[in-house]
Amino acid sequence: MTASGASESVAARGRPGGGPWWWPRRRSAVLDVLLALASMAECMAEGVPFAHSSGIPTVAGVLFGLVAGSMLLLRRRWPVAVVLTSIAVMPAEMGGLLSVVGLYTLAASDVPRRIIGLLAGMTVVGTVVTTFFSMRQDVAAEPDFHPPSWFVIVMALAVGLVLTAPPVLWGLYVGARRRLVESLRERADGLERELSLLADRAEERAEWARNEERTRIAREMHDVVAHRVSLMVVHAAALQVVALKDPEKASRNAALVGDMGRQALTELREMLGVLRTAEGAAVRAPAGSDEPERLAAVASRVSRKTAAGPAAESGRAPTDALAAPAGGAEPDGDGPCLTELGELVEQSRAAGMAVEFSVQDGAAEAAESPAADVRGRRYAARVEQTVYRVVQEALTNVHKHAPGARARVRLAHRAGEVAVQVENGPSERGATDAGLPSGGNGLVGMRERVTALGGAFVSGPTDAGGFRVSAVVPVVQVRAAGAAG
């Protein structure tokens, strides 16, 4: 409420219907005009006896009633002024409709409760006093009517309460209901805005998750397939060189190229099968599914199966690469692990690369005996997969960018971490470049894998003209399957 007694509720609610001046809607303006006309008619009619009793001209009494009754036009804008006007005209015994409508509007407005109570009390007092004197004169004018002394007082109090309490109580109810509806509407608007914001954030998170999944799947396919295809190209280049000089070696290289091609096709077919199964079960799979890890596990099983082929000839049973269905969940230890590093190194040696592999456990170092030392430890599946992929990608880069170079792979088991380093010397002069394309994603993928586990990754050229890749990954050591038994 302003200093002049104007109610701010109308201005706060706005004008949804485009009503004139301070009216929120046109029908409100029409209602107030009709009420004002009725009040003016009442006050003008009551102004005639008031003019006769007070000794003023009749026209003055009519004009006074006209002005007093027209105050209802301002009831929504200045409800306090309307009630004060009704109190002021009570001695003239006019303004009954003005008083009732004014009190209702005051109670329903946003005027503070203490002001509503004060003006309602003033109205009750004014009505009681006016009614008391009017009824006492009427009783005195009736010689045959002799009521008890308390009759006039009780009747005056009753008339005052009947004319004041109902409009005030009804106005308070309507005002409280209106404020409740407005608060609920504001709360609904707030919830709608919040839901819209949450929907936007959910869409952003979904888009981020989709991009992250694409990146992870691309990284898995790069790590799994690029190594195999790179070896194919290296064997093909060697086949081209020795085709005429050494037909027997050329035949072996051709067989290796065929084996590598079939292995690459098998891995691609397995990964695409996982992707198709994931698309079909997208509506059933929960958020945050492990599809990229499943891709890695499938590729690892296929790698173990294809690598176990030559070993099977010497009596070793092949790995159960395809035992689990493509769409099923993979166990944690079903991905590439440290026990397969020896086979990975042997594949590069078969392609003509001189690779030295050593495993360091504390202060003792054992060279050329990777199987016993590596199998002696077992870490979390993601840790072993990351170390394996780093070595795989580093050896692939040696095939691509340093043909004929010697390479050294070192694995170190430390307290709370495992470190791996792959270093190669400069490319030998006269070595045939395999012409392998490079997308520049290998080092990026290695860094993402290592840092995702909280490790450190460093790569760069050496002073001797070669290249070095180093990674340190924090580990969680678990019991080996054999120790558990």
Side-chain angles (χ1 to χ4, degrees):
M1 189 183 71
T2 62
S4 61
S7 175
E8 297 178 352
S9 60
V10 175
R13 288 193 294 271
R15 300 175 182 174
W21 295 335
W22 53 81
W23 284 285
R25 291 176 293 272
R26 292 187 179 182
R27 65 179 182 180
S28 300
V30 173
L31 176 61
D32 287 357
V33 169
L34 294 177
L35 289 175
L37 291 175
S39 179
M40 284 188 293
E42 177 197 5
C43 292
M44 289 170 63
E46 293 171 346
V48 174
F50 170 70
H52 292 163
S53 62
S54 60
I56 62 175
T58 304
V59 176
V62 173
L63 290 177
F64 180 72
L66 177 65
V67 173
S70 64
M71 287 296 295
L72 277 183
L73 290 172
L74 308 176
R75 71 183 186 96
R76 298 180 188 270
R77 183 64 173 172
W78 290 289
V80 175
V82 174
V83 175
L84 289 176
T85 302
S86 68
I87 296 173
V89 300
M90 280 183 183
E93 296 183 359
M94 65 172 60
L97 180 62
L98 178 67
S99 176
V100 172
V101 176
L103 285 174
Y104 164 79
T105 306
L106 178 68
S109 66
D110 294 333
V111 176
R113 294 293 179 86
R114 63 180 183 275
I115 297 179
I116 296 175
L118 176 62
L119 293 178
M122 292 173 60
T123 303
V124 170
V125 172
T127 304
V128 169
V129 171
T130 302
T131 305
F132 175 78
F133 285 106
S134 176
M135 289 186 65
R136 193 174 67 172
Q137 291 177 0
D138 294 341
V139 169
E142 295 289 339
D144 297 333
F145 183 62
H146 301 285
S149 59
W150 52 265
F151 177 78
V152 176
I153 298 175
V154 172
M155 291 301 297
L157 289 173
V159 171
L161 293 176
V162 167
L163 294 179
T164 305
V168 171
L169 295 177
W170 183 251
L172 290 175
Y173 167 74
V174 171
R177 182 175 178 274
R178 180 186 300 154
R179 285 187 289 272
L180 176 61
V181 171
E182 289 178 355
S183 65
L184 292 177
R185 183 181 295 110
E186 291 176 358
R187 185 179 301 178
D189 294 341
L191 289 176
E192 185 177 357
R193 289 192 297 269
E194 184 176 355
L195 289 176
S196 178
L197 181 61
L198 289 176
D200 294 340
R201 290 181 178 177
E203 182 63 26
E204 293 176 0
R205 287 195 297 268
E207 183 64 26
W208 177 85
R210 285 192 291 268
N211 294 334
E212 187 70 13
E213 289 300 306
R214 293 191 190 101
T215 303
R216 295 173 67 181
I217 291 174
R219 184 167 60 240
E220 292 293 339
M221 295 187 70
H222 175 274
D223 292 343
V224 172
V225 179
H227 179 73
R228 191 78 60 195
V229 176
S230 298
L231 294 179
M232 289 174 56
V233 176
V234 170
H235 282 298
L239 175 63
Q240 184 179 6
V241 173
V242 302
L244 299 178
K245 299 179 180 179
D246 192 346
E248 183 178 355
K249 186 176 182 179
S251 177
R252 291 197 302 269
N253 286 341
L256 288 174
V257 170
D259 292 339
M260 292 293 178
R262 283 187 290 272
Q263 293 169 11
L265 287 176
T266 302
E267 292 171 354
L268 280 175
R269 189 178 297 110
E270 289 292 325
M271 285 187 292
L272 292 177
V274 170
L275 288 176
R276 292 192 184 99
T277 305
E279 291 175 359
V283 295
R284 301 188 302 272
S289 60
D290 298 333
E291 294 304 327
E293 286 76 4
R294 291 169 55 196
L295 288 174
V298 170
S300 173
R301 292 199 312 274
V302 175
S303 299
R304 288 200 297 270
K305 179 182 178 183
T306 53
E313 298 176 358
S314 60
R316 196 173 99 190
T319 305
D320 185 12
L322 299 177
E330 307 298 340
D332 291 339
D334 210 14
C337 55
L338 298 183
T339 58
E340 303 175 19
L341 285 179
E343 298 174 357
L344 184 65
V345 171
E346 289 300 328
Q347 292 176 6
S348 294
R349 287 173 177 170
M353 180 190 300
V355 185
E356 177 185 353
F357 182 39
S358 62
V359 179
Q360 181 180 358
D361 190 354
E365 181 174 351
E368 295 299 333
S369 58
D373 291 321
V374 174
R375 287 193 179 93
R377 293 213 176 210
R378 185 67 176 173
Y379 304 110
R382 294 191 63 185
V383 173
E384 298 203 0
Q385 293 169 10
T386 299
V387 175
Y388 181 91
R389 294 303 185 196
V390 169
V391 175
Q392 183 184 55
E393 180 61 27
L395 292 178
T396 302
N397 288 340
V398 176
H399 285 292
K400 288 182 180 180
H401 307 295
R406 297 180 61 85
R408 183 178 184 184
V409 179
R410 288 182 287 186
L411 179 68
H413 301 285
R414 303 172 184 171
E417 63 183 19
V418 58
V420 64
Q421 184 182 88
V422 181
E423 181 179 352
N424 65 274
S427 179
E428 292 184 359
R429 295 184 178 179
T432 304
D433 190 354
L436 290 168
S438 176
N441 298 318
L443 294 177
V444 175
M446 286 190 282
R447 185 182 303 277
E448 290 176 351
R449 287 180 178 276
V450 175
T451 55
L453 299 180
F457 178 83
V458 179
S459 63
T462 62
D463 296 336
F467 199 83
R468 181 186 298 117
V469 172
S470 302
V472 179
V473 183
V475 299
V476 178
Q477 186 172 352
V478 298
R479 292 183 178 273

